[in-house]
Amino acid sequence: MSVPVPVQAAPRGGLVAVALLLVYVVWGSTYLGIRLALEGGMPPLSVISGTRFVIAGGVLYGLLRWRGVAAPTRAQWRTVAVMGLCLLFLGNGMVVLAERDVSSGLAAVAVASVPLWMALFSALRGGKVAGGEWLGIAVGLAGVVWLNAGSSLTATPTGLVLLLVAPLGWAFGSIWSRGRDLPSPFMTAAGQMLCGGVILVAAGLLRGEHMAAAPTLQGVLAVGYLSVFGSIVAFTAYVWLLHNVRPVLASSYAYVNPVIAVALGALVAHERFGAADIGAMAVILAGVVVITLARMRRA
């Protein structure tokens, strides 16, 4: 989720390690959580994505208002709603739909391309892009082409299209939100989840989603995990990191999450990956690392 980039503060010892572990492991495990929720009979948009974010956003919003944090203005609500549309409806919702046809690990590999698209959108918007960043974009996009042309995604055209739309929507929304009038970081997150969740629920209902039978315990627990840990705990840890460590370290989840997702998919769900899948992931992550290193040198 996109939040305003705050002023960097000093790290706080072991809390940094704990926060990083939460972001790495929990966000990396959400792809498997989505698969388990789908297998448990939960509708993709209206429940796995939509209800999850409505619950998480509502809880966070209530807590913030209880603590005296100002609510978004009308203009800020409009901006937050667009962010929810781009990042949650397109970014997360399309991933959930894709996982009906592709493995959780492969979905995570596709989403790993978000930093590449963000760098590209930033350049198109007039942002300064160093030569090393262009190299990272080129390397990463080569991995995206490989993933979409030479991996097992080619057997699922619908999943392929959805996993192209998801990172594009997330990246566009993140870049579009920069410099706009937004509430405090946590309130931005709460409003974004509320707006995105409502859009997702509405889209799911318009698609005719319904539960053909009572969901399994696995499905209920998976949605609960996604709501509490994926949307509240891990995101709170991520925002804390943005306040206390360098942005480069906070954003390192981008190339750790796919590895964790692939490992969990293989160990828990017995997913299998071909050489092309692993090779494309390695190239995409190499591009992300090159971009990160170039930004560190420029900073």
Side-chain angles (χ1 to χ4, degrees):
M1 272 159 277
S2 177
V3 294
V5 179
V7 177
Q8 181 176 311
R12 302 182 185 179
L15 289 177
V16 174
V18 173
L20 283 172
L21 187 65
L22 285 172
V23 173
Y24 289 168
V25 176
V26 174
W27 272 0
S29 67
T30 54
Y31 297 93
L32 179 61
I34 290 169
R35 170 171 174 166
L36 295 177
L38 287 169
E39 291 178 349
M42 291 296 195
L45 293 183
S46 57
V47 176
I48 298 176
S49 280
T51 301
R52 159 195 175 184
F53 286 120
V54 169
I55 293 172
V59 170
L60 185 56
Y61 183 86
L63 287 173
L64 291 172
R65 294 293 291 139
W66 177 69
R67 296 191 61 182
V69 178
T73 64
R74 182 175 298 180
Q76 289 172 338
W77 273 118
R78 287 195 294 267
T79 301
V80 166
V82 174
M83 293 168 64
L85 174 68
C86 293
L87 278 81
L88 301 186
F89 174 69
L90 295 178
N92 182 267
M94 298 307 103
V95 169
V96 176
L97 289 177
E99 283 201 39
R100 296 175 304 170
D101 302 308
V102 305
S103 68
S104 62
L106 202 55
V109 173
V111 174
S113 65
V114 164
L116 309 174
W117 299 116
M118 287 181 65
L120 191 58
F121 283 136
S122 180
L124 293 174
R125 197 182 181 189
K128 186 177 180 181
V129 181
E133 291 177 90
W134 280 117
L135 174 61
I137 291 172
V139 171
L141 291 183
V144 172
V145 172
W146 186 3
L147 180 68
N148 287 278
S151 75
S152 54
L153 268 181
T154 54
T156 55
T158 300
L160 186 153
V161 172
L162 292 172
L163 290 180
L164 277 175
V165 172
L168 284 169
W170 188 285
F172 177 82
S174 298
I175 298 301
W176 177 86
S177 66
R178 290 181 179 176
R180 297 185 183 273
D181 179 28
L182 290 168
S184 64
F186 285 109
M187 184 57 78
T188 295
Q192 184 177 304
M193 286 191 285
L194 277 172
C195 293
V198 170
I199 293 170
L200 283 159
V201 170
L205 294 177
L206 288 173
R207 290 182 69 247
E209 290 183 357
H210 64 281
M211 293 186 186
T216 66
L217 178 60
Q218 170 186 297
V220 173
L221 292 177
V223 172
Y225 176 81
L226 292 170
S227 301
V228 176
F229 290 94
S231 297
I232 298 177
V233 175
F235 186 66
T236 301
Y238 176 64
V239 174
W240 184 89
L241 284 169
L242 285 177
H243 279 81
N244 290 278
V245 303
R246 296 176 64 185
V248 168
L249 180 58
S251 62
S252 60
Y253 74 89
Y255 45 85
V256 177
N257 286 170
V259 178
I260 291 177
V262 168
L264 287 175
L267 291 173
V268 178
H270 307 294
E271 296 176 352
R272 295 292 177 263
F273 305 93
D277 301 325
I278 301 301
M281 178 177 72
V283 174
I284 291 171
L285 298 185
V288 174
V289 170
V290 170
I291 290 175
T292 303
L293 293 176
R295 287 176 176 169
M296 290 175 65
R297 287 195 296 269
R298 189 174 69 179

